[in-house]
């Protein structure tokens, strides 16, 4: 029995696709076919030069169906790195093609999309896996274990958390699908969803959700979780990066403090997609139920009005509204 699994990839030219190609290769599997409307993807040569490539979905669809009939083999997994608003449709395609889906975050834009996908999972017998790689990060796992111990000793403990994530993006960002809320879900969905997932995984579900600032390049707000009060600030605007960080030439600033103590997790990101694939291939991936909480959170944020500088807001909000 050949243990090598066959993969197809949707969204091969995107920012995150090379991590998926690397993960497929490093787990000893093969990429049979890839799809992207953009054809400038020399990156394929470093990973799977033999993979069939398509720029039109219809031809890719036909290939996946025909390949199965011609070879008697099947595409076991379809990896999805397409723009966020297409994930739902591409996951459905994977399941109906007899493949499991491995999808980048955010899995879908709204929680009711997940309800529908559960029905299709049941109809097809296939599975949907979401890449929630922070749950596999050694520093985050250590934090979860520490918090669990402390909560066993004091079940009523409530932590104070500040989440700050600034990742500078140029003008292209707002022209691309990422700058269109209908396609990306907005800043919170695009760059915040895996942080929200991680916080809820450790500190419990969101009980209260408030948005203080909402602009095209910045979202900020606060959550009340079961065991934490969280102030969060997300932006793609370089101007909001602290001066001392700019002075080092950095264009990204990421900080999570728990009760004033910085959680160090700047390293250790490089292999997390491969780790995610290893777990999925063992049957341990994160499914639809795990994705539900963070998708519900970002969907709520998208529909809330910003209340301005009231209540427990993140100090960086003053950079935007001050």
């Amino acid at each position: 029995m050949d243990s090598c699994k066959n993969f197809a990839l949707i969204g091969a030219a995107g920012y995150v696709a090379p991590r998926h190609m690397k993960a497929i290769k490093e787990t000893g599997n093969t990429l049979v076919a890839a799809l992207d409307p953009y054809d400038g993807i020399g990156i394929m040569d470093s990973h799977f030069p033999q993979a069939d490539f398509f720029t039109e979905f219809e031809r890719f669809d036909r290939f996946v169906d025909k390949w199965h009939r011609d070879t008697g083999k099947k595409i076991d997994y379809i990896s999805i790195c397409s723009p966020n608003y297409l994930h739902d449709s591409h996951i459905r395609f994977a399941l109906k093609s007899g493949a499991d889906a491995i999808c980048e975050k955010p899995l879908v834009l709204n929680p009711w999309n997940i309800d529908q996908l559960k029905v299709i999972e049941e109809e097809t017998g296939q599975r949907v896996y979401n890449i929630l790689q922070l749950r596999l990060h050694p520093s985050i796992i250590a934090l979860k274990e520490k918090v669990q111990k402390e909560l066993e000793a004091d079940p009523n403990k409530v932590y104070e958390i500040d989440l700050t994530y600034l990742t500078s993006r140029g003008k292209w960002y707002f022209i691309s699908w990422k700058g269109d809320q209908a396609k990306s879900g907005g800043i919170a969905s695009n760059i915040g969803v895996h942080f929200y997932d991680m916080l809820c995984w450790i500190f419990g579900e969101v009980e209260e959700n408030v948005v203080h600032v909402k602009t095209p390049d910045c979202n900020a707000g606060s959550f009340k979780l079961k065991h934490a009060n969280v102030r969060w600030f997300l932006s793609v605007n370089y101007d909001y990066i602290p001066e001392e960080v700019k002075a080092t030439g950095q264009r990204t600033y990421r900080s999570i403090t728990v009760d004033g103590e910085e959680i160090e997790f700047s390293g250790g990101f490089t292999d997390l997609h491969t780790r995610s694939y290893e777990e999925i291939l063992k049957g341990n991936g994160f499914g639809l139920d795990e994705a539900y909480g963070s998708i519900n959170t970002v969907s709520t944020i998208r529909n809330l009005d910003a209340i301005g500088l009231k209540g427990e807001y993140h100090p960086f909000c003053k950079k935007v509204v001050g």
Side-chain angles (χ1 to χ4, degrees), residues 19 22-23 26-27 133 136-138 267-278:
R19 294 184 203 176
K22 183 168 167 270
E26 288 181 348
T27 51
Q133 72 269 39
L136 300 174
H137 193 294
F269 273 89
T270 44
D271 298 322
L272 292 181
H273 276 74
T274 299
R275 286 277 302 108
S276 300
Y277 270 65
E278 284 167 359

Side-chain angles (χ1 to χ4, degrees), residues 274-316:
T274 299
R275 286 277 302 108
S276 300
Y277 270 65
E278 284 167 359
E279 292 302 319
I280 289 166
L281 288 158
K282 284 188 218 158
N284 300 335
F286 303 118
L288 294 176
D289 288 337
E290 280 94 348
Y292 201 92
S294 56
I295 298 303
N296 196 33
T297 300
V298 292
S299 179
T300 304
I301 289 168
R302 198 177 311 130
N303 294 303
L304 283 173
D305 292 325
I307 63 166
L309 302 189
K310 291 183 203 150
E312 285 294 314
Y313 59 85
H314 191 290
F316 276 41

Side-chain angles (χ1 to χ4, degrees), residues 172-207:
W172 68 269
Y173 182 90
F174 299 98
I175 304 300
S176 79
W177 64 268
K178 294 184 180 191
D180 180 346
Q181 179 167 289
K183 292 183 174 179
S184 71
I187 295 269
S189 296
N190 218 17
I191 66 171
V193 68
H194 51 318
F195 291 112
Y196 303 150
D197 170 73
M198 178 264 287
L199 290 172
C200 293
W201 184 54
I202 298 174
F203 298 99
E205 291 305 307
V206 175
E207 294 174 356

Side-chain angles (χ1 to χ4, degrees), residues 204-225:
E205 291 305 307
V206 175
E207 294 174 356
E208 194 183 310
N209 193 339
V210 176
V211 176
H212 296 112
V213 174
K214 194 183 268 188
T215 68
D217 63 14
C218 173
N219 279 186
S222 60
F223 299 132
K224 205 178 166 73
L225 306 182

Side-chain angles (χ1 to χ4, degrees), residues 165-169 191 234-238 241 251-253:
Y165 183 47
L166 296 151
T167 180
S168 307
R169 296 288 184 259
I191 66 171
L234 306 169
S235 181
V236 293
N237 188 330
Y238 175 73
I241 289 181
R251 295 184 57 81
T252 298
Y253 175 68

Side-chain angles (χ1 to χ4, degrees), residues 68-122:
H68 157 62
R69 294 171 200 284
D70 289 352
T71 64
K73 294 188 269 189
K74 68 189 277 266
I75 304 281
D76 300 291
Y77 296 91
I78 295 182
S79 299
I80 297 161
C81 306
S82 50
N84 301 349
Y85 71 109
L86 297 175
H87 288 177
D88 190 17
S89 175
H90 290 155
I91 292 168
R92 288 163 184 255
F93 167 75
L95 301 180
K96 289 173 184 173
S97 301
D100 287 351
I102 300 176
C103 187
E104 263 304 325
K105 51 84 192 158
L107 185 74
V108 286
L109 294 183
N110 297 295
W112 50 88
N113 304 134
I114 294 180
D115 298 333
Q116 284 284 304
L117 291 176
K118 279 188 175 171
V119 174
I120 301 168
E121 267 194 341
E122 280 174 30

